[in-house]
Amino acid sequence: MLNPMFNGAAAMAWLACSLFFLRFWKQSRDRLFGFFALTFALLGGNAVAGALLEVGDERRYYIYVVRLFAFLLILYAIWDKNRAVRRGGG
Amino acid sequence: MAEAVYILCALTSLACAVLLLRAWKRTQSRLLLWSGLCFAGLALNNVLLFVDLVLLPTAVDLYVPRLITGLASAVVLLYGLIWDAS
């Protein structure tokens, strides 16, 4: 009873974060914000999948593959941003 | 294979946290601080995941602490976005 509620709350919070970053991206057109929005949307979907799949379900493992991809996306976004700053862009 | 993914999740989220907090120290942008803290929470969440599913026997279940650290990370970032960034 409590666990799906925690998962649902986390999903809602991640999606809200994603929408904030989407707004920043629309305002500034800074790709960093776009990547952040995408990552937090992925984490939101992750929390939903975590709530829907049974604990013993073998597909549960793929949740963490998606999560790994989301983290790699952030690392790429930071690298991309640093490169742009070094080039004098921004 | 699953173990490798759990370890990589922990390492990448830790790397995100370190890079974001370093950028915050350099630029003093509060949004970077909240993002860095969020990823530090996620790193803790992923370490707990590894400890729970790989190191500890199945009799010990850390699912609720994992849920709470994940939710706390999201709430920290949301707090920062609502109070600091807009």
Side-chain angles (χ1 to χ4, degrees):
Chain A
M1 176 64 182
L2 210 59
N3 292 354
M5 199 189 81
F6 278 135
N7 262 319
M12 192 73 215
W14 288 130
L15 291 176
C17 292
S18 176
L19 284 177
F20 267 102
F21 280 109
L22 198 64
R23 196 182 76 179
F24 296 154
W25 174 69
K26 276 196 87 175
Q27 280 170 353
S28 68
R29 290 279 147 192
D30 188 338
R31 269 198 304 204
L32 180 76
F33 292 134
F35 281 122
F36 266 78
L38 193 61
T39 293
F40 291 121
L42 277 176
L43 287 179
N46 233 259
V48 173
L52 293 179
L53 292 180
E54 293 293 323
V55 175
D57 196 322
E58 277 184 2
R59 288 170 297 174
R60 239 188 132 72
Y61 157 71
Y62 292 107
I63 293 179
Y64 300 104
V65 177
V66 174
R67 196 189 273 199
L68 179 61
F69 177 72
F71 295 146
L72 287 173
L73 208 59
I74 288 287
L75 287 177
Y76 173 76
I78 297 171
W79 176 77
D80 184 55
K81 177 78 181 172
N82 284 342
R83 205 180 47 166
V85 169
R86 255 185 235 125
R87 268 207 210 126
Chain B
M1 185 62 191
E3 290 86 350
V5 171
Y6 302 151
I7 293 176
L8 284 173
C9 274
L11 290 178
T12 46
S13 52
L14 189 66
C16 290
V18 170
L19 287 175
L20 288 167
L21 289 173
R22 263 179 48 188
W24 166 67
K25 274 201 148 185
R26 206 174 51 234
T27 62
Q28 292 294 311
S29 157
R30 303 270 291 173
L31 185 58
L32 285 170
L33 169 66
W34 296 113
S35 312
L37 288 177
C38 167
F39 276 93
L42 280 174
L44 175 67
N45 180 258
N46 289 318
V47 169
L48 280 178
L49 172 78
F50 181 74
V51 170
D52 186 16
L53 299 189
V54 180
L55 298 182
L56 290 177
T58 42
V60 186
D61 188 14
L62 294 182
Y63 191 56
V64 173
R66 284 200 280 127
L67 279 179
I68 291 174
T69 47
L71 179 60
S73 310
V75 168
V76 162
L77 181 60
L78 200 55
Y79 173 86
L81 285 168
I82 290 171
W83 290 102
D84 259 354
S86 48

